[in-house]
């Protein structure tokens, strides 16, 4: 399976922070925001990753991530000239997907939870149609909502319903089989002129091939697209890291623990950042693997 990080948009909700830089490079505590969605794809066992972003942001993101070889990954890059909806990622990335299954994650989403790597890898191995991830929220009228029956089967998807029939918000992480590009091509723009991912998901639901995996207690899902939510995400990561002594979304640590890179490569990158707490933590990780 290949992965796509959709890091598009102009970050207007975060002005003036994003007037001179990319939203995906803003800090969530001690790491750039884009590290968090990339870490989820890595934990799922995905190493071929396409980053889609705006013409102004893509050079900055490429400057940060390079070709990915330092992490044992393979990064590709594509421009989304204007925001045209989440489903547009599959049209832009159709040659990258090349007829295979894919996972799409939004560039401002932060996920965390015990057992998440195992759940991700199981989901990757068992994609049949589309797999969505639901998270319980107290204000479901603000989200796309997935309704399930008494057996847990997905029966409906509603976008910002006035009278929600469930509190399971559909998060910004999606997994699809090889048909997603053709389905995305059949989607027509909505009233706001965008190719809606909800329409792609409903097409799979109509075929009876849409599954909702609920992320319940023990999981956290945060959207970092506003000033308040960006701050909240940073505070959450700060508390977790300081209390537990382990890093969230440390790409180098994930890479070495999953065998994508050697202990020596990890130590070398740690030495380059030894002036920071992040680099010192990474050196401890490398030394623990001796």
């Amino acid at each position: 399976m290949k992965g796509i990080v959709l890091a598009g948009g102009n970050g207007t909700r975060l002005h003036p922070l994003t007037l001179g830089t990319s939203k995906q490079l803003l800090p969530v505590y001690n790491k750039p925001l884009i590290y968090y969605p990339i870490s989820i794809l890595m934990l799922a066992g995905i190493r071929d990753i396409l980053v889609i972003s705006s013409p102004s942001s893509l050079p900055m993101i490429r400057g940060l991530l390079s070709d990915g070889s330092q992490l044992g990954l393979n990064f590709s890059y594509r421009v989304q000239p204007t925001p045209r909806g989440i489903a547009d990622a599959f049209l832009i990335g159709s040659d990258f997907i090349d007829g295979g299954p894919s996972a799409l994650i939004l560039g401002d989403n932060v996920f965390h939870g015990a057992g998440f790597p195992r759940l991700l890898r199981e989901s990757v191995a068992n994609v049949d149609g589309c797999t969505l991830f639901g998270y319980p929220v107290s204000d479901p009228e603000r989200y796309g909502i997935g309704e399930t029956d008494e057996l847990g089967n997905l029966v409906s998807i509603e976008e910002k319903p006035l009278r929600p029939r469930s509190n399971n918000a559909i998060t910004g992480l999606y997994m699809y089989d090889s048909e997603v590009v053709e389905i995305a091509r059949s989607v027509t723009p909505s009233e706001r002129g965008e190719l809606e991912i909800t329409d792609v998901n409903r097409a799979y639901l109509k075929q009876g091939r849409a599954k909702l995996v609920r992320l319940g207690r023990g999981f956290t899902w945060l959207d970092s697209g506003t000033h308040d939510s960006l701050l909240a995400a940073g505070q959450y990561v700060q508390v977790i890291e300081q209390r537990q002594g382990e890093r969230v979304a440390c790409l180098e640590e994930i890479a070495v623990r999953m065998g994508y890179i050697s202990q020596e490569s990890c130590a070398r990158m740690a030495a380059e950042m030894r002036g920071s707490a992040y680099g010192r933590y990474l050196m401890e990780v490398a030394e623990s693997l001796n």
Side-chain angles (χ1 to χ4, degrees):
M1 178 176 284
K2 294 183 177 181
I4 299 175
V5 178
L6 181 58
N10 297 314
T12 54
R13 292 186 298 167
L14 285 166
H15 282 173
L17 293 175
T18 50
L19 289 176
T21 190
S22 167
K23 175 175 75 171
Q24 278 69 37
L25 300 187
L26 294 176
V28 174
Y29 186 42
N30 52 11
K31 297 169 231 60
L33 173 55
I34 199 169
Y35 272 35
Y36 294 86
I38 289 174
S39 73
I40 296 303
L41 297 180
M42 293 176 68
L43 290 170
I46 296 171
R47 301 175 70 174
D48 288 320
I49 298 173
L50 173 66
V51 179
I52 299 174
S53 193
S54 66
S56 60
S57 291
L58 199 63
M60 290 183 277
I61 296 173
R62 189 196 294 264
L64 171 69
L65 300 175
S66 189
D67 64 0
S69 59
Q70 73 278 11
L71 297 170
L73 306 177
N74 179 31
F75 284 123
S76 301
Y77 300 91
R78 299 285 189 281
V79 169
Q80 185 182 45
T82 58
R84 295 187 62 240
I86 297 173
D88 188 41
F90 295 108
L91 306 187
I92 295 172
S94 60
D95 60 333
F96 170 79
I97 296 171
D98 194 27
S102 58
L104 170 66
I105 188 167
L106 302 186
D108 59 4
N109 276 213
V110 176
F111 293 87
H112 182 250
F116 204 25
R118 175 184 54 79
L119 178 61
L120 289 167
R121 290 192 288 270
E122 289 177 354
S123 298
V124 166
N126 295 296
V127 171
D128 180 17
C130 87
T131 298
L132 310 175
F133 295 83
Y135 188 81
V137 295
S138 59
D139 49 354
E141 64 279 356
R142 295 182 53 236
Y143 300 91
I145 297 296
E147 178 192 7
T148 56
D149 62 19
E150 61 277 6
L151 298 177
N153 300 310
L154 187 62
V155 296
S156 74
I157 300 173
E158 297 180 288
E159 189 65 32
K160 298 181 180 178
L162 294 177
R163 296 178 177 82
R165 291 182 283 185
S166 165
N167 70 336
N168 291 318
I170 296 175
T171 70
L173 173 63
Y174 319 85
M175 295 182 182
Y176 298 98
D177 66 7
S178 59
E179 295 182 23
V180 67
V181 172
E182 288 307 312
I183 290 176
R185 284 174 176 155
S186 70
V187 170
T188 56
S190 63
E191 291 182 357
R192 60 178 183 168
E194 295 191 358
L195 302 177
E196 306 290 352
I197 197 66
T198 298
D199 291 335
V200 172
N201 297 335
R202 282 176 176 156
Y204 277 104
L205 180 62
K206 187 176 181 180
Q207 297 175 9
R209 298 195 304 125
K211 175 182 178 183
L212 183 71
V213 176
R214 295 187 76 248
L215 304 177
R217 289 187 177 183
F219 290 94
T220 298
W221 168 57
L222 300 167
D223 174 347
S224 305
T226 67
H227 297 108
D228 288 342
S229 60
L230 182 68
L231 177 61
Q235 291 173 330
Y236 172 81
V237 172
Q238 179 188 32
V239 169
I240 291 293
E241 293 193 353
Q242 291 185 353
R243 184 63 64 91
Q244 298 182 350
E246 297 180 345
R247 295 290 186 264
V248 177
C250 178
L251 303 188
E252 299 85 356
E253 179 182 11
I254 296 171
V256 71
R257 292 198 184 281
M258 296 192 69
Y260 297 168
I261 62 174
S262 66
Q263 181 270 345
E264 292 78 11
S265 295
C266 181
R268 184 168 57 251
M269 287 187 286
E272 293 173 354
M273 295 183 281
R274 60 183 176 271
S276 68
Y278 185 93
R280 291 190 292 274
Y281 169 81
L282 198 57
M283 184 60 73
E284 292 174 2
V285 169
E287 291 174 350
S288 72
L289 298 174
N290 282 332

